[in-house]
């Protein structure tokens, strides 16, 4: 039986018919009241427990909130760092791309320069018997040419009539003058030398100098004179021309030779002016690539052409 409030308890006692039922009801009420008190105590205890738990949870929540706030802050920092890294990464990628472009450009330039600087020369392994044979022919032609200052008109070979005519005019070649040695470069605009006189870089003899130039470049007479040889060999000098220029102050005969041409524009006996086109350059004969091999010969002996070019 449960009763709430003292009013109801009094009502319960006063409505008893006799003392016996009064006492019985009183005992009952006392028991109930005792039980209520124990219940209340238990409830209070439970409530205290709940309050404690609640406080504990509140502390935990506060700690959690604090931790969350710290983590949020760290997350923000990380996000900021990540953004910065991404920006750096973009910047690096851009720089890399720019470097790649620069690299490609410089590679291209290098390739162009390499192509331009190809150091074409003769092969250096030609058969010595073949070299001797060609040289003997050249010597025979040069020694057959009579100097203009000689009174005789006798000139060896089929070019004699032409030489006689020149001798009589006296202006197509030089006679005992060092002006004959003032020569112009045989390939205009090409002064770069890939192999000089008197040796290749290997140390092997080289009788002239090589001017690398693309096939078809204009090859000109280094000095005025008479064409004394036009030969088209598939070895040695290839398509080559020799020009006789007369004699220097010491009376030495002056001859120039132009080798490895792709085309020859003059004929034996023809007179040419200084700087006049005589051939187109090429790579005929014993040659590694397009270049012009140029020789100066004094009394048939090869000398350094560099000393006479300007
Ligand atoms: Zn050469």
């Amino acid at each position: 039986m449960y009763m709430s409030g003292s009013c109801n308890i009094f009502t319960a006692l006063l409505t008893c018919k006799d003392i016996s039922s009064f006492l019985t009801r009183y005992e009952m009420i006392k028991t109930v009241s005792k039980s209520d008190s124990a219940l209340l105590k238990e409830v209070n205890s439970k409530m205290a427990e709940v309050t404690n738990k609640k406080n504990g949870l509140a502390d935990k929540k506060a700690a959690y909130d604090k931790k969350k706030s710290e983590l949020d802050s760290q997350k923000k920092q990380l996000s900021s760092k990540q953004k910065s890294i991404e920006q750096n990464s973009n910047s690096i990628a851009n720089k890399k791309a720019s470097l790649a472009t620069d690299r490609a450009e410089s590679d291209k330039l290098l390739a162009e320069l390499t192509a331009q600087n190809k150091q074409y020369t003769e092969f250096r392994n030609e058969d010595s018997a073949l070299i001797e044979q060609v040289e003997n022919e050249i010597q025979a032609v040069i020694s057959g040419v009579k100097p203009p200052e000689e009174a005789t008109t006798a000139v060896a070979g089929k070019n004699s009539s032409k030489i006689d005519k020149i001798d009589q005019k006296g202006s197509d070649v030089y006679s005992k003058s060092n002006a004959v040695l003032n020569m112009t470069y045989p390939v205009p605009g090409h002064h770069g030398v890939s192999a000089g006189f008197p040796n290749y870089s290997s140390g092997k003899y080289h009788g002239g100098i090589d001017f690398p130039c693309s096939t078809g470049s204009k090859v000109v007479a280094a000095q005025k004179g008479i064409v004394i040889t036009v030969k088209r060999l598939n070895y040695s000098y290839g398509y080559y021309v020799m020009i006789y220029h007369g004699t220097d102050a010491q009376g030495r005969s002056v001859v120039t030779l132009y080798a490895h041409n792709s085309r020859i524009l003059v004929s034996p006996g023809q007179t040419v002016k200084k700087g006049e086109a005589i051939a187109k350059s090429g790579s005929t004969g014993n040659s590694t690539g397009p270049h012009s091999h140029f020789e100066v010969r004094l009394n048939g002996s090869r000398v350094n052409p560099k000393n006479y070019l300007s």
Side-chain angles (χ1 to χ4, degrees):
M1 185 167 79
Y2 177 76
M3 290 185 186
S4 61
S6 52
C7 187
N8 287 338
I9 296 169
F10 276 117
T11 309
L13 289 174
L14 290 174
T15 53
C16 289
K17 287 170 185 163
D18 49 34
I19 191 72
S20 167
S21 63
F22 174 87
L23 286 173
T24 306
R25 193 163 284 181
Y26 176 73
E27 280 305 313
M28 278 176 70
I29 287 166
K30 221 169 97 184
T31 307
V32 167
S33 175
K34 248 184 195 170
S35 162
D36 278 359
S37 169
L39 191 65
L40 193 65
K41 216 173 178 180
E42 198 186 331
V43 165
N44 281 339
S45 161
K46 288 277 182 204
M47 270 182 75
E49 204 178 307
V50 166
T51 304
N52 274 345
K53 279 190 180 166
K54 199 179 156 193
N55 286 342
L57 282 173
D59 285 350
K60 277 186 184 166
K61 187 172 182 292
Y64 166 80
D65 285 347
K66 196 180 164 200
K67 194 77 191 166
K68 186 171 180 295
S69 165
E70 280 172 13
L71 285 173
D72 282 350
S73 169
Q74 280 176 9
K75 195 180 162 194
K76 213 168 170 183
Q77 280 176 13
L78 282 174
S79 165
S80 168
K81 273 185 189 164
Q82 197 184 357
K83 208 168 173 184
S84 161
I85 286 166
E86 276 167 10
Q87 278 171 356
N88 283 340
S89 170
N90 282 342
S91 163
I92 286 165
N94 284 341
K95 278 184 188 160
K96 214 172 154 184
S98 161
L99 280 173
T101 308
D102 286 354
R103 177 74 199 272
E105 273 175 21
S106 53
D107 281 354
K108 197 181 155 202
L109 270 176
L110 187 67
E112 280 171 14
L113 281 173
T114 306
Q116 280 170 13
N117 287 336
K118 268 199 171 166
Q119 301 291 282
Y120 291 126
T121 63
E122 288 86 46
F123 284 119
R124 291 150 208 184
N125 55 356
E126 188 143 64
D127 180 59
S128 58
L130 208 56
I131 294 172
E132 203 181 327
Q133 183 201 316
V134 172
E135 186 56 25
N136 287 341
E137 284 172 15
I138 288 171
Q139 290 300 339
V141 171
I142 293 174
S143 60
V145 177
K146 295 291 177 192
E149 57 270 18
E150 278 188 13
T152 70
T153 57
V155 174
K158 56 187 174 180
N159 303 322
S160 59
S161 60
K162 288 272 183 187
I163 302 286
D164 287 346
K165 187 177 141 244
I166 302 312
D167 284 351
Q168 283 156 24
K169 278 166 72 183
S171 62
D172 291 329
V173 293
Y174 283 96
S175 177
K176 290 205 167 181
S177 166
N178 277 344
V180 72
L181 300 173
N182 291 326
M183 299 182 182
T184 189
Y185 278 85
V187 188
H190 290 78
H191 298 180
V193 170
S194 57
F197 179 95
N199 296 112
Y200 291 107
S201 53
S202 65
K204 195 179 173 189
Y205 179 71
H206 184 224
I209 51 180
D210 292 346
F211 297 100
C213 54
S214 57
T215 295
S217 299
K218 189 166 76 170
V219 177
V220 302
Q223 183 53 277
K224 70 175 180 180
I226 305 165
V227 177
I228 53 170
T229 299
V230 167
K231 280 244 177 188
R232 292 177 175 83
L233 306 177
N234 59 11
Y235 54 91
S236 179
Y237 289 130
Y239 291 14
Y240 76 96
V241 176
M242 279 208 300
I243 300 174
Y244 174 73
H245 305 287
T247 51
D248 69 358
Q250 294 174 57
R252 296 179 296 183
S253 71
V254 181
V255 168
T256 53
L257 184 151
Y258 313 77
H260 309 300
N261 303 291
S262 58
R263 277 178 64 204
I264 294 175
L265 308 175
V266 291
S267 309
Q270 185 179 332
T271 58
V272 290
K273 291 178 192 138
K274 181 180 183 179
E276 186 178 331
I278 56 162
K280 296 285 184 185
S281 70
S283 188
T284 54
N286 190 36
S287 167
T288 60
H291 77 282
S292 183
H293 169 98
F294 176 66
E295 288 183 10
V296 174
R297 290 174 178 248
L298 298 181
N299 275 347
S301 293
R302 285 172 279 199
V303 293
N304 192 351
K306 272 276 177 186
N307 296 333
Y308 310 106
L309 295 173
S310 60

